[in-house]
Amino acid sequence: MIKRQAATLTIDGRPVAIDGEKNLLELVRKVGIDLPTFCYHSDLSVYGACRLCLVDVDGRGILGACSTPPEPGLVVRTNTQELREIRKIAVELLLANHDRECTSCVRSGSCQLQDIARRLGITTIRYRSIHQPKPVDASSPSLIRDPNKCVLCGDCVRFCDEIQSVGAIDFAHRGHDAAVLPAFGRDLGAGECVNCGQCASVCPTGALAPASEIEAVWQAIYDPGTVVVAQIAPAVRVAIGEQFGSEYGLNTTGQVVAAMKRMGFDIVYDTSFTADLTVVEEANEFIARKSNGERLPLFTSCCPGWVKFAEQYFPQLLGNLSSCRSPQQMMGSMVKHTLPAQLGRERKDIVMVSIMPCTAKKFEARRPEFRTAGIPDVDYVLTTQELARMIEESGLSLNKLNPASFDMPMGFKTGAGVIFGNSGGVTEAVLRYAVGKLTGQNPVDPECEEIRGEDSLRVIRTEVGGIELKLAIVHGLGKARETMQRILAGTLLVDLVEVMACPGGCIGGAGQPVGRDIAQRRRARAEALYNTDRLLDLHCSQENHFVTECYQKFLGEPASRESHRLLHTHYHHRRRAGAEDHALARAKESGEGPLIVRVCAGTGCFLRNSQAIIQGLMKHVEANDLDDRVQVQASFCFERCGEGPNVAVGETIISQATLDTVVQAIHAELAQVSSPSVEAGAR
């Protein structure tokens, strides 16, 4: 049998086999040539904005490698004098209008613009700067948006839209005025952002970055009147080593604890302990609902980005969310409930610091539901990146520290609590508990391979104690939206749904170390957590004897009144972009007030084409010379999300509106105002 030869092309004089690559950039990188690029990510659509990955193709000229499909016989050059000069010009133009205070930038040392400029040998900039500083947006508790550092690559816009389906930011204006902004130029914290931070994880510069709480934590450590307690999430310990040059996925738990003790943290606990506590509460909630056949499916509630997403877009399903707090918030609640009496201190003297892989945890810690007597259960949240910077500031070398142990009792965990960091980990941990609860015997082999994987939606069937269960595991909010819609339509019937906002789960959180090889990093981190589970003696949350002791001393039993007070919460529908209306077509000054027409521009109505109604109305107002009588406004949420698009003409709300029905309503209102009333005629 004759073996068919693979199709090839030539790159810099070397033959290269084509093996399913989507574009020339993938082939170029396959042979070890690192073409510079800002805007290419394999998970996102091809955008071709930065014009850095240019190649010279014989007979075709200079093309973008990211947007050119491979063809047999092509002859490609990646490093000619002309290509190098074009790249240098492009980067110099960016630098000419860039905030170049690099030494104080949060991305200094990991900035792609900085790296590419160095690689291209740019030491002087030939173009005069016309940059006008713009205000920095610090309105979000999770993210800082600095437009002065934006290179308009569009990575953040595409990720927010294509992967997360939120669309909290987009391009605005044209030419020199082009910018990436939240809707209507509002602050990021006032829009539909769910704080997942994935925009920051793909940003090549410091235009979007996690909001830092480092200084506040240092001040707490330096204050002799406070007891500073820390908790470390499982995903942090298998990623932080990357910041110090370690291999991907190396578990540095002991070294991280040692570093934090050296830095001045008084007590260091493991969030995996309260992950075990979450399993006990959530599994009992699930078993009760399944037994009673009510309010299914049950959705997990550990991910604050997902919770806010549900509050904004799926309020009709909020009753299906588990009422359990996340492990972070359970830890904060238990620490501030138990430590004051044990240490002879007041609640206000205890400062709780979380070390998380996630930017949304910063938002979660500030939710009013998680305050007791005005004092937050969790005071500060540091990302993995922030903790690494604090370790560096302390002059400590993480890799050279002798390991130290977590403090007890809330430093003890089982493998079920550790795997929470992976997509599917919560479901697997709940299933391990359910097996023990319903059969009276913990699983001999606790690993559930069918739950694990990288697919953004995984649906499995299993049987526990004679009860058939159907489980769904979702990561990425775009896939979550699709899944929720299928559940509401009745085309997907499941009992339990685990949702994580970030790809891969917490291991892929936006607070983790960043890099272009993120998929490889996520795989290594996930495997490290599973290996940690395998090395522990206990694998089921019900085997954590300190959790059992916690119930005996403080909580009573799972689902008791006291456990609900300390470990559970509630959710509410959020008006997604606030109550403000934004005038689009403003009526001229006249003797009487204009007719106000408000068109909902929230996501539900936007997806049902409210934008076309806005555009049509503005044209109609102008064409019919109504600009002195009608004012068109973009509004947000009439609380009729399932009936959109929604438009208010005066005081009348029109649901499932079309341009024609709105225009008819406008003219009817105007005719009524123009016609003298019967009463006026009588006078």
Side-chain angles (χ1 to χ4, degrees), residues 301-380:
S301 56
C302 296
C303 172
W306 146 245
V307 169
K308 188 169 186 279
F309 183 85
E311 290 178 320
Q312 290 181 173
Y313 304 118
F314 294 96
Q316 65 271 51
L317 289 174
L318 291 181
N320 291 71
L321 263 69
S322 168
S323 64
C324 290
R325 301 186 184 198
S326 71
Q328 167 181 276
Q329 294 306 139
M330 285 193 182
M331 178 67 80
S333 179
M334 291 305 300
V335 162
K336 293 202 174 180
H337 179 67
T338 61
L339 275 192
Q342 293 175 15
L343 300 178
R345 307 292 289 267
E346 294 185 34
R347 183 184 177 92
K348 64 180 178 60
D349 297 331
I350 309 294
V351 173
M352 181 77 239
V353 180
S354 297
I355 315 298
M356 293 286 145
C358 171
T359 55
K361 290 292 182 184
K362 293 175 180 283
F363 164 78
E364 180 184 53
R366 296 191 186 186
R367 289 184 67 126
E369 297 92 337
F370 301 135
R371 301 178 74 90
T372 303
I375 300 173
D377 296 331
V378 174
D379 296 279
Y380 305 110

Side-chain angles (χ1 to χ4, degrees), residues 37-41 44-45 47 49 112 151-162 169 171 180 198-199 201-205 208:
T37 178
F38 287 132
C39 64
Y40 183 75
H41 291 271
L44 303 178
S45 62
Y47 186 52
Q112 288 184 46
V151 294
L152 298 176
C153 65
D155 295 354
C156 56
V157 172
R158 286 178 293 141
F159 203 107
C160 191
D161 176 45
E162 296 172 12
I169 48 179
F171 286 104
V180 173
Q198 289 297 321
C199 56
S201 71
V202 296
C203 178
T205 63
L208 284 158

Side-chain angles (χ1 to χ4, degrees), residues 31 40 58 69 80 142 177 235 239 256 272 289 294 346 397 412 441 447 449 488 494 506 603 653:
V31 296
Y40 183 75
D58 272 7
T80 67
S142 300
D177 296 324
V256 172
S272 299
R289 290 198 191 192
E294 59 184 27
E346 294 185 34
S397 178
F412 191 82
Q441 185 175 356
E447 295 193 22
E449 289 292 339
L488 288 171
V494 289
C506 300
T603 300
I653 297 178

